């Protein structure tokens, strides 16, 4: 077990190194430059002076070595466009993103599993059709559009919920206020993630229900509820957990859009701003953080398998 | 400039303003009101930091007072941190008398040393590459005469200096930034709580979320009339409008026309049609010798139905441009110049006359060379649809444009920096003066803001005549001639002057309508009617 985790952590380190190398060279190949240095109004002399100040007039490989040396010491550099240390930007932005992502994941998992079970139990009857219609909608409606629509309905027309931000301004910490701000963005994000969970749950459950051990359980006279909860659903969870692992990584790309629409100050928006503004150190920082999270989630998922399915062991 | 008359007029204006405001405040200002405004990204709270542009300009205008600001009546420079000014040595020097008793928000006294620091050590320091520094290239240095008097020493006459000093040219504190290695990148200033002179000061900066401003009790014009301002960071314009409709925002600037429709139906908001000295254009790259013949440029402009484009792209919120100087400049705008009404037949005839005749492939050619242009465009605002419409209009007269759509940052690198294009659609936004030299002069071709790389000594001389003219009468005369020349020779193909739309809470009063910059320069007068 410890050996397994150690091996995976070392592998993760190598992956992150390769990610940084690729990202660094790719973003420097992209046309354009940091928007604070190369805006429309600046003259050639101004641009030159600014590039020199940020050391961007040096060759790419030289800059990578400098950056890597810093990163190994825990210094991810300074944002070119914002003038703040990358690590402090990431620290500021990670909490809102994790709150949003965790809530969405929880909602997607809860509703997805329940709806998936309902669909499987009523296969090819109307509840199944209703669930599959909801899933299709969730799958095909773009987030940015749904985001604006729910803002117009719930914030503008009904006035029930705030339209954006993560808390009311000038008020201290207030849990109720935070939750009210969270409902719309997390709901929209969960709605788009849920269909994956529904589909996998439904398919896994159907497969389990047709399997021998379920028939045996029924044959030995167990109540249907026990068969369903103890035997079927629990066993169907392995693919669902795998799917949740995948969904968790997709969450980050989904949050890019949702964070922009709902004015949520998270990592996703930071990533968009950095990419549009060619803020090289921030792009690298965000990519590395996202990479680390994906590596971490995959490890967590592998460990979770052992919990939901005792036959899987990491020796 | 007739200083005495000017000062009289100002005194009268100040009196009227005081009376008007006094009456209005007594009537109904709500002292507890907090005004919510939108900005599209985290601002940088230093007007000179490279990249501090649209997301930072308006908040910096509230925070950092300038030497001058625009009069809400006619946009002439009026007193702010400077109370009076005059030109000396035939326009080669300007002396500014500063306001007495001004304090920074930390209590330190403001004075001539701050003005000298802002210009000598920051704007004019070539190593810093300060934002918009090239607009001040005529300034050699700023001399301190005494605590409250500075003298701008110029290399060449620059009669529009008081106008440019009102254009996002906030004075920054020497006692805070003077010791910094780079005064433009001090994070505790730019991204937290800067020391300022404006009517409001920063109380709290939450990155990615909002910047909260509270009244500056030390402000020279007295305390403002709102309990605070909050600039919320909302990147998505649709969300900005939705929030304004939901009552969470009181001011949304740079509203796109399609989002403005129906916004007034709520009864809470009104849309202001503000102006700005801003023109959209098609830039022909004059390094291409096909543009040596002015008839080609004239024909290309005549082939474009600009009114139809304004109606389609801007819902009619704009006006066909006759040159770079917008009608909002009043006397300085010359309407009597050559104009180019939409007339594709005349355009075709003009190209025939110039020797560009239709080839078998439907594209005009002359001596084996085709009238086909590379036309890169960037994903920003209406640039892409505008480019595609121009392409269609030109196709009608046998001119081909090869449109290549680039991501905005890549566009700037390729087109603006490398000048790697033959024709392209873009815009310039300038201070409200007819001094447009940074966008047209030979010295700005290839390296500066003269995107079309146009160079004509006759034009340079006309623009310099304007820079030398110290009275309004002389400026009107000089710039009228310049505008005639610009309409005849078409360094740019002028498209339109767009209206700048701002949605605001109807209860917000004391908010000058003329331009957004002017409105924010007078933030001290804003109040919410009860």
């Amino acid at each position: 077990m410890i050996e397994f985790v150690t091996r995976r952590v070392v592998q993760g380190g190598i992956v992150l190194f390769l990610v940084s190398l690729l990202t660094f060279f790719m973003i420097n190949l992209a046309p354009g430059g940091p928007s604070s240095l190369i805006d429309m109004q600046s003259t050639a002399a101004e641009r030159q002076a600014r590039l020199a100040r940020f050391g961007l007039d040096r060759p790419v490989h030289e800059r990578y070595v400098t950056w890597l040396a810093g990163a190994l010491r825990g210094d991810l550099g300074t944002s070119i466009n914002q003038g703040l240390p990358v690590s402090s930007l990431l620290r500021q932005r990670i909490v809102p993103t994790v709150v949003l992502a965790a809530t969405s994941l929880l909602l997607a998992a809860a509703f997805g599993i329940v709806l998936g079970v309902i669909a499987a139990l009523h296969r090819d009857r109307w509840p199944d059709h209703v669930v599959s219609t909801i899933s299709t909608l969730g799958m095909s409606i773009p987030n940015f559009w749904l985001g604006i629509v729910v803002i117009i309905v719930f914030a503008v027309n009904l006035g029930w919920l705030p339209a954006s931000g993560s808390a009311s301004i000038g008020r201290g910490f207030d849990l109720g206020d935070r939750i009210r701000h969270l409902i719309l963005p997390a709901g929209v994000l969960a709605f788009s993630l849920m269909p994956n969970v529904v589909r996998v749950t439904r398919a896994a459950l159907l497969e389990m229900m047709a399997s021998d051990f379920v028939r045996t359980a029924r044959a030995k006279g167990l109540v249907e509820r026990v068969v369903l909860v103890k035997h079927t659903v629990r066993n169907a969870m392995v693919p669902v957990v795998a799917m949740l692992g995948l969904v968790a990584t997709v969450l980050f790309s989904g949050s890019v859009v949702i964070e922009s629409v709902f004015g949520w100050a998270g990592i996703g928006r930071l990533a968009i701003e950095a990419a549009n503004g060619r803020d090289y150190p921030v792009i690298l920082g965000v990519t590395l953080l996202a990479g680390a999270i994906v590596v971490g989630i995959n490890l967590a998922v592998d460990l979770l398998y052992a919990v939901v399915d005792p036959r899987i062991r990491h020796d | 400039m007739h200083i005495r008359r000017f000062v009289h007029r100002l005194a009268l204006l100040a009196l009227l303003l005081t009376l008007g405001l006094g009456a209005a405040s007594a009537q109904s200002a709500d002292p507890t009101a907090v005004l919510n405004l939108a900005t599209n990204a985290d601002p940088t709270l230093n007007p000179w930091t490279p990249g501090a542009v649209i997301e930072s300009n308006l908040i910096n205008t509230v925070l950092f007072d300038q030497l001058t600001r625009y009069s809400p009546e006619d946009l002439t420079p009026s007193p702010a941190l400077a109370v009076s000014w005059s030109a000396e040595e035939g326009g080669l020097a300007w002396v500014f008398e500063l306001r007495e008793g001004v304090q920074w928000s930390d209590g330190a006294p403001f004075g001539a040393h701050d003005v000298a620091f802002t210009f000598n050590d920051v704007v004019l320091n070539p190593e810093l590459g300060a934002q918009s520094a090239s607009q001040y290239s005529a300034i050699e240095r700023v001399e301190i005469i005494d605590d409250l008097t500075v003298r701008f020493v110029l290399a060449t006459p620059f009669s529009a200096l008081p106008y440019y000093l009102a254009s996002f040219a906030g004075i920054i504190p020497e006692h805070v930034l003077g010791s910094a290695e780079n005064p433009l990148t001090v994070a505790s200033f730019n991204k937290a709580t800067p020391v300022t002179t404006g009517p409001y000061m920063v109380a709290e900066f939450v990155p990615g979320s909002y910047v909260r401003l509270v009244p500056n009790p030390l402000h020279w014009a007295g305390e403002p009339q709102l309990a605070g301002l909050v600039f919320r960071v909302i990147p998505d314009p649709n969300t900005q409008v939705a929030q304004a409709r939901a009552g969470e925002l009181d001011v949304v600037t740079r509203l796109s026309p399609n989002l403005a429709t129906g916004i007034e139906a709520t009864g809470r908001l009104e849309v202001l049609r503000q102006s700005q000295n801003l023109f959209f254009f098609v830039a022909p790259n004059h390094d291409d010798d096909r543009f040596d013949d002015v008839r080609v440029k004239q024909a290309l402009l005549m082939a474009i139905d600009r009114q139809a484009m304004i109606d389609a792209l801007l819902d009619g919120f704009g006006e066909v441009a006759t040159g770079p100087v917008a009608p909002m400049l009043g006397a300085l705008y010359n309407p009597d110049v050559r104009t180019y009404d939409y007339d594709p037949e005349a355009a075709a005839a003009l190209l025939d006359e110039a020797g560009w005749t239709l080839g078998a492939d439907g594209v005009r050619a002359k001596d084996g060379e085709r009238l086909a242009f590379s036309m890169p465009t960037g994903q920003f605002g209406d640039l892409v649809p505008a480019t595609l419409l121009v392409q269609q209009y030109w196709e009608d007269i046998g001119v081909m444009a090869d449109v290549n759509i680039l991501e905005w940052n890549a566009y700037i690198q390729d087109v603006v920096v490398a000048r790697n294009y033959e024709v392209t659609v873009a815009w310039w936004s300038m201070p409200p003066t007819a001094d447009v030299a940074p966008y047209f002069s030979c010295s700005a071709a290839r390296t500066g803001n003269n995107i079309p790389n146009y160079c004509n000594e006759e034009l340079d001389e006309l623009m310099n005549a304007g820079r030398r003219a110290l009275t309004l009468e002389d400026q009107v005369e000089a710039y009228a001639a310049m505008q005639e020349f610009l309409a005849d020779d078409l360094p740019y193909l002028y498209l339109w002057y767009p209206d700048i739309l701002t949605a605001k809470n109807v209860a917000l009063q004391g908010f000058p309508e003329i331009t957004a910059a002017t409105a924010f320069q007078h933030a001290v007068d804003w109040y919410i009617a009860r």
Side-chain angles (χ1 to χ4, degrees):
Chain A
M1 178 75 181
I2 289 168
E3 192 197 326
F4 169 78
V5 173
T6 320
R7 202 171 60 229
R8 288 288 296 268
V9 168
V10 172
Q11 280 173 357
I14 296 170
V15 167
L16 290 185
F17 166 73
L18 292 175
V19 164
S20 79
L21 191 73
L22 267 175
T23 312
F24 196 96
F25 284 91
M26 272 166 56
I27 55 176
N28 277 286
L29 279 178
S35 56
S36 60
L37 313 185
I38 304 190
D39 65 323
M40 191 152 153
Q41 203 100 25
S42 61
T43 62
E46 287 166 13
R47 283 190 297 268
Q48 216 39 57
R50 297 171 188 174
L51 287 173
R53 278 214 95 79
F54 284 93
L56 291 172
D57 50 351
R58 292 183 299 145
V60 183
H61 61 270
E62 215 177 297
R63 285 190 276 137
Y64 180 70
V65 172
T66 315
W67 177 85
L68 189 65
L72 290 175
R73 280 181 280 116
D75 174 11
L76 291 172
T78 303
S79 159
I80 298 172
N81 296 343
Q82 304 211 48
L84 291 171
V86 173
S87 50
S88 88
L89 282 173
L90 294 178
R91 250 199 321 276
Q92 283 163 359
R93 302 297 191 96
I94 188 69
V95 178
T97 295
V98 167
V99 169
L100 177 62
T103 312
S104 312
L105 192 61
L106 217 66
L107 287 175
F111 284 97
I113 291 173
V114 168
L115 289 179
V117 171
I118 292 174
L121 292 182
H122 301 89
R123 182 182 187 175
D124 291 338
R125 276 174 292 149
W126 70 264
D128 188 17
H129 298 313
V130 170
V131 170
S132 94
T133 308
I134 295 173
S135 304
T136 314
L137 287 178
M139 204 83 183
S140 41
I141 295 179
N143 273 345
F144 62 88
W145 183 82
L146 187 62
I148 295 288
V149 169
V150 299
I151 289 177
I152 289 173
V153 173
F154 294 102
V156 180
N157 292 344
L158 298 172
W160 291 351
L161 294 165
S164 100
S166 54
S168 295
I169 294 170
R171 198 186 292 185
F173 183 83
D174 172 350
L175 188 64
D177 180 58
R178 297 285 167 127
I179 291 174
R180 272 161 42 79
H181 279 86
L182 194 53
I183 293 174
L184 290 183
V188 171
L189 197 49
F191 187 62
S192 68
L193 295 174
M194 197 184 63
N196 297 309
V197 184
V198 172
R199 265 187 318 123
V200 174
T201 309
R202 179 178 179 274
L205 209 56
L206 287 176
E207 196 189 319
M208 288 301 152
M209 290 199 312
S211 65
D212 292 344
F213 69 86
V214 171
R215 196 168 28 195
T216 311
R218 284 205 178 109
K220 73 181 182 189
L222 284 181
V223 204
E224 188 58 28
R225 198 170 50 89
V226 178
V227 175
L228 189 68
V229 176
K230 282 198 74 175
H231 295 75
T232 329
V233 174
R234 174 134 189 228
N235 281 301
M237 281 302 107
V238 174
V240 174
V241 168
M243 176 46 95
L244 285 178
L246 283 178
V247 165
T249 56
V250 175
L251 260 181
F252 279 92
S253 49
S255 67
V256 169
V257 175
I258 291 295
E259 287 178 4
S260 293
V261 172
F262 288 95
W264 197 265
I267 290 281
R269 233 176 73 200
L270 184 67
I272 283 264
E273 287 163 11
N276 285 339
R278 302 287 191 281
D279 200 335
Y280 302 136
V282 179
I283 298 177
L284 271 170
V286 171
T287 317
L288 277 186
L289 180 67
I293 288 171
V294 170
V295 167
I297 286 177
N298 282 331
L299 180 58
V301 167
D302 284 349
L303 295 175
L304 258 183
Y305 283 153
V307 178
V308 294
D309 186 348
R311 284 171 303 173
I312 301 175
R313 270 192 269 150
H314 302 296
D315 288 327
Chain B
M1 193 171 290
H2 299 297
I3 292 298
R4 187 176 296 171
R5 206 176 64 192
F6 183 63
V7 169
H8 272 152
R9 222 171 53 190
L10 281 172
L12 190 64
L13 186 74
L15 184 69
L16 286 173
L17 273 174
T18 323
L19 288 175
L21 284 173
S25 330
Q27 174 201 340
S28 58
D30 176 359
T32 61
V34 172
L35 200 69
N36 287 287
L37 307 98
T39 179
N40 65 324
D42 271 355
T44 297
L45 305 180
N46 184 330
W48 302 104
T49 300
V53 282
I54 46 177
E55 76 295 328
S56 312
N57 277 343
L58 295 178
I59 186 170
N60 282 340
T61 301
V62 174
L63 292 174
F64 297 93
D65 279 340
Q66 310 166 131
L67 292 180
T68 58
R69 57 179 171 173
Y70 303 125
S71 121
E73 280 71 38
D74 59 3
L75 297 174
T76 48
S78 63
L81 289 178
V83 286
S84 65
W85 46 90
S86 56
E88 290 183 348
E89 297 172 32
L92 276 170
W94 282 78
V95 174
F96 287 79
E97 300 291 341
L98 306 179
R99 191 177 293 276
E100 259 186 85
V102 175
Q103 284 176 289
W104 289 98
S105 54
D106 64 354
F110 157 85
H113 57 283
D114 293 307
V115 180
F117 165 72
T118 300
F119 284 91
N120 295 342
D121 298 327
V122 178
V123 182
L124 302 177
N125 179 352
E127 281 172 26
L128 298 183
Q131 187 70 32
S132 309
S134 62
Q135 296 189 338
Y136 302 90
S137 55
I139 304 172
E140 220 161 54
R141 64 181 182 283
V142 174
E143 290 172 351
I144 300 175
I145 308 285
D146 60 46
D147 273 0
L148 293 175
T149 315
V150 290
R151 182 184 158 95
F152 282 69
V153 179
L154 307 183
T156 53
F158 184 23
S159 58
L161 179 65
Y163 285 87
Y164 274 86
L165 290 177
S167 174
F168 306 119
I171 303 300
I172 50 179
E174 185 191 26
H175 69 285
V176 179
L177 298 174
S179 56
E181 189 266 329
N182 182 350
L184 297 180
T185 55
V186 179
S188 59
F189 190 90
N190 295 357
K191 293 288 176 180
T193 45
V195 172
T196 54
T197 47
Y200 293 90
M201 59 187 191
V202 179
E204 188 187 12
F205 190 149
V206 181
S209 295
Y210 61 88
V211 186
R212 190 164 60 86
L213 272 50
V214 293
N216 173 2
L218 301 175
H219 185 59
W220 51 268
E223 270 201 63
Q225 309 169 70
L226 291 163
L229 308 179
V230 176
F231 284 81
R232 294 171 181 244
V233 182
I234 306 166
D236 186 272
N238 296 291
T239 313
Q240 289 184 0
V241 169
Q243 287 218 28
R245 298 174 82 134
E248 291 176 27
L249 285 176
D250 300 299
V251 178
V252 176
T253 52
R254 299 189 312 115
L255 193 63
S256 83
N258 59 357
L259 290 176
T261 12
I263 207 171
E264 287 182 326
T266 57
R268 181 179 174 270
L269 301 163
E270 60 181 329
V271 175
L272 306 181
R273 288 177 77 154
Q274 300 184 309
S275 49
Q276 194 168 324
N277 194 22
L278 189 163
F279 72 108
F280 274 73
F281 56 77
V282 182
N285 188 338
H286 289 80
D287 287 351
D288 186 324
D289 55 21
R290 289 174 291 183
F291 295 120
D292 288 352
D293 187 342
V294 71
R295 288 174 297 185
V296 173
K297 294 189 281 185
Q298 291 173 335
L300 290 177
L301 187 50
M302 272 194 274
I304 304 171
D305 189 347
R306 293 175 284 175
Q307 189 56 52
M309 290 179 74
I310 293 169
D311 293 340
L313 296 175
L314 307 178
D315 288 347
F317 288 112
E319 205 179 324
V320 171
T322 53
V325 177
M328 64 175 282
L329 287 178
L332 288 170
Y333 170 69
N334 179 3
D336 302 320
V337 297
R338 187 199 289 248
T339 53
Y340 302 88
D341 291 338
Y342 175 54
D343 190 345
E345 279 154 31
L350 200 57
L351 286 176
D352 284 333
E353 184 192 309
W356 293 94
T357 50
L358 270 179
D361 59 353
V363 178
R364 290 175 185 273
K366 179 181 173 179
D367 306 328
E369 193 181 12
R370 295 162 84 229
L371 207 48
F373 301 107
S374 74
M375 192 177 193
T377 182
Q379 288 168 319
F380 195 98
D382 290 328
L383 291 187
V384 174
T387 300
L388 295 175
L389 285 171
V390 169
Q391 181 191 35
Q392 294 273 314
Y393 285 121
W394 286 353
E395 201 182 306
D396 293 344
I397 57 161
V399 175
M400 202 174 85
D402 180 16
V403 173
N404 181 15
I405 300 172
L406 300 169
E407 182 261 346
W408 181 238
N409 205 292
Y411 171 85
I412 291 180
Q413 175 74 46
D414 214 32
V415 177
V416 182
V417 177
R419 306 279 153 100
N420 184 13
Y421 78 98
E422 285 165 356
V423 284
T424 193
V425 178
W427 79 95
W428 280 127
S429 160
M430 303 168 293
T433 148
D435 183 347
V436 294
Y439 309 90
F440 288 86
S441 69
C442 289
S443 61
R446 288 183 197 84
T447 60
N449 293 334
N450 181 346
I451 291 186
N453 293 335
Y454 177 86
C455 177
N456 184 304
E457 280 164 20
E458 193 185 336
L459 174 62
D460 272 12
E461 181 38 43
L462 286 169
M463 293 190 295
N464 285 335
R467 289 197 148 195
R468 284 191 301 267
L470 290 175
T471 65
L472 184 63
E473 290 77 13
D474 290 350
Q475 287 177 6
V476 167
E477 196 186 316
Y479 285 125
M482 177 196 81
Q483 287 170 73
E484 267 177 49
F485 183 96
L486 290 174
D488 288 338
D489 211 40
L490 298 178
Y492 295 77
L493 311 183
Y494 317 108
L495 292 177
W496 55 74
Y497 313 113
D499 293 339
I500 307 298
L501 303 181
T502 297
K504 79 162 192 55
N505 186 338
V506 289
L508 171 60
Q509 303 293 317
F511 188 90
E513 293 205 18
I514 190 159
T515 69
T518 310
F520 282 73
Q521 289 170 357
H522 291 80
V524 68
D525 300 335
W526 296 352
Y527 68 96
I528 290 278
R530 245 200 287 243

